[in-house]
Amino acid sequence: MGENVNEELNEQVKTKRKKGARLYRIFLLSWVLCLLVVLSASLSRFYDFLLKYEAAYKATLPEYVAADLLTLFRTEDTGSLYDLATEKPGHGTYETREDVVIYLRSFLQNGPISLDPVRAESTDDHQVFLIDSGDVTVARAEYVKEPVADALEIPRWDLTSLILYADEPRGIHISAPDNVNLIVNGIEYSGTGTPGEEPVAQRFVGDYEELPRINEYDIDGFYYLPDVAAVTDDGTNLPVLCDMNTYAFYVDYPRDCAYRTEVEAIAKEAVGAYANFISGDLSEGELKKYFTANNVFLYYMEHAELKWFTRHLASEIHSAEVVDFIAYSDDVCYCEVVVEQYLTMEWGPREPEVITTDGKFYFVKQNGEWKVLGIEF
């Protein structure tokens, strides 16, 4: 009976031991699992910390601070850059924002876009950069860091200043008669120029009318050589000469107008009559009808002794060619005509002698008719 009792006790001990070992294993496994969870969470937080720290560090690097701005430069988006700029390249009345935007694009084609920190002016909260295209500095940018909640927050930067560098716009110079309308890039010029000298023709026109002068005009604000046109009051377009190296334009007096054909026909007759009068083949009365009343040039011709022509049998005007015409105003013009006069002499060969006469006449409108006021010798 005693042996049975011992066996039962042994079985109870073994059972307790097995139960204790099982509980210990459960406890150990639970502890290991808890430890793994804690370690995993700690490593995850540490990894997040490292990522945030790296991001925060990178966000302080120049290429990251100005990343969006550099993209605009590298894609040559000068329209967006122009809108962002706190100091924009200016333009004049006769150019537009689009002209400047296109002009700026040429500055970004000198080479790769790069960023150069200005360390002497930069701090932890204020970054200053120069942006280069190749060897050419094209802009200056300044950034200020926004306040953050704690030291590990990723900083953000505000662009507070952007200066776009460009050459100063050029000025143009125009020389043109003061009674001509100037059109610059499709816009009528409304300014006043510097009065030029009195034209030579004024000496021959006298007090009849003050002739337009060639005025000098200076206009600023051009990145491109502009299109300059000159138009008279009657709508006639005048030739505009341009020196593309100096941006200088020149407009001469009109060589065409509505009454040109009418005056040329009268001028051919008048110069032909003038040649026949000098040769003694036309009376003073016939010549007089081409001149203004009380004309001093006609007076001198009427009282001059015209004896230098050889006696001849006949005079004929065989050709009359207009070689120059200038319209000074609606009532004053200049017309140069060359005529060939054939003279048949009283003796010698019957082959006519050809006399060329170059008449440089100034015409004015008097009582609705074109008359000779002056002659340039």
Side-chain angles (χ1 to χ4, degrees):
M1 183 172 180
E3 293 179 357
N4 292 333
V5 172
N6 290 332
E7 288 179 0
E8 287 180 9
L9 288 173
N10 290 334
E11 287 296 328
Q12 289 178 358
V13 170
K14 289 181 180 179
T15 301
K16 288 181 179 180
R17 286 179 177 177
K18 289 180 179 178
K19 187 177 180 180
R22 188 165 48 249
L23 290 174
Y24 175 76
R25 286 195 294 270
I26 292 172
F27 167 76
L28 184 62
L29 181 61
S30 299
W31 184 83
V32 170
L33 288 175
C34 290
L35 183 61
L36 289 175
V37 170
V38 171
L39 285 175
S40 177
S42 299
L43 288 173
S44 177
R45 291 186 63 185
F46 183 68
Y47 182 71
D48 290 341
F49 169 81
L50 291 178
L51 288 178
K52 186 177 291 187
Y53 188 85
E54 181 185 19
Y57 170 73
K58 287 182 177 179
T60 64
L61 298 178
E63 285 284 340
Y64 281 80
V65 173
D68 292 339
L69 187 64
L70 287 177
T71 298
L72 296 179
F73 278 99
R74 286 167 178 159
T75 58
E76 298 184 4
D77 188 357
T78 49
S80 297
L81 289 171
Y82 184 84
D83 294 336
L84 279 175
T86 51
E87 290 189 29
K88 311 177 192 294
H91 62 84
T93 304
Y94 304 98
E95 288 187 338
T96 65
R97 170 190 177 277
E98 291 307 312
D99 292 322
V100 181
V101 165
I102 295 171
Y103 174 75
L104 288 173
R105 200 165 295 147
S106 64
F107 283 82
L108 306 185
Q109 298 168 353
N110 295 300
I113 298 297
S114 59
L115 195 66
D116 184 17
V118 184
R119 303 195 185 282
E121 299 181 43
S122 298
T123 64
D124 291 340
D125 298 324
H126 178 214
Q127 297 288 324
V128 182
F129 306 108
L130 295 179
I131 295 102
D132 299 331
S133 173
D135 296 331
V136 179
T137 299
V138 295
R140 172 189 167 100
E142 296 187 34
Y143 287 84
V144 172
K145 186 164 63 173
E146 293 182 1
V148 293
D150 59 69
L152 294 181
E153 288 292 330
I154 299 173
R156 297 184 59 183
W157 297 86
D158 289 331
L159 178 65
T160 57
S161 174
L162 176 62
I163 302 172
L164 300 179
Y165 295 142
D167 296 335
E168 287 295 322
R170 295 184 62 170
I172 66 170
H173 181 83
I174 304 176
S175 302
D178 60 18
N179 63 340
V180 167
N181 302 309
L182 297 174
I183 312 295
V184 182
N185 284 343
I187 302 173
E188 185 170 357
Y189 176 70
S190 58
T192 57
T194 303
E197 296 181 357
E198 182 180 87
V200 175
Q202 192 69 58
R203 295 190 288 116
F204 302 96
V205 175
D207 296 332
Y208 181 85
E209 181 180 295
E210 184 177 353
L211 300 183
R213 302 177 179 223
I214 301 292
N215 282 0
E216 307 297 330
Y217 303 88
D218 289 295
I219 312 173
D220 295 324
F222 295 95
Y223 291 105
Y224 297 100
L225 185 71
D227 177 34
V228 176
V231 184
T232 61
D233 288 336
D234 65 3
T236 302
N237 288 303
L238 304 181
V240 179
L241 302 178
C242 173
D243 185 335
M244 291 186 288
N245 294 320
T246 62
Y247 276 37
F249 297 82
Y250 181 77
V251 182
D252 203 352
Y253 292 104
R255 253 56 186 186
D256 197 9
C257 65
Y259 59 77
R260 175 175 176 171
T261 302
E262 177 187 0
V263 172
E264 285 183 344
I266 297 171
K268 289 177 181 180
E269 289 184 15
V271 176
Y274 170 70
N276 279 328
F277 176 77
I278 292 175
S279 64
D281 296 289
L282 189 73
S283 66
E284 295 176 2
E286 288 295 313
L287 181 64
K288 189 174 183 179
K289 68 181 182 180
Y290 295 103
F291 285 76
T292 58
N294 303 316
N295 190 286
V296 65
F297 290 90
L298 182 61
Y299 174 84
Y300 289 141
M301 286 190 293
E302 289 173 346
H303 292 80
E305 294 186 11
L306 306 177
K307 298 179 179 179
W308 52 84
F309 271 86
T310 305
R311 293 174 60 183
H312 49 276
L313 300 174
S315 170
E316 296 177 355
I317 302 298
H318 273 249
S319 69
E321 179 186 1
V322 176
V323 296
D324 197 8
F325 179 88
I326 302 174
Y328 289 101
S329 69
D330 291 340
D331 298 317
V332 180
C333 66
Y334 166 83
C335 192
E336 181 179 358
V337 177
V338 175
V339 299
E340 287 187 344
Q341 181 184 23
Y342 283 36
L343 298 179
T344 302
M345 301 303 171
E346 287 188 357
W347 55 82
R350 285 295 179 261
E351 186 71 24
E353 183 176 341
V354 180
I355 305 297
T356 300
T357 300
D358 185 6
K360 301 177 180 180
F361 287 9
Y362 289 87
F363 289 85
V364 299
K365 213 166 195 178
Q366 194 174 68
N367 299 322
E369 295 183 324
W370 288 100
K371 300 290 184 180
V372 178
L373 179 63
I375 301 177
E376 183 178 346
F377 297 100

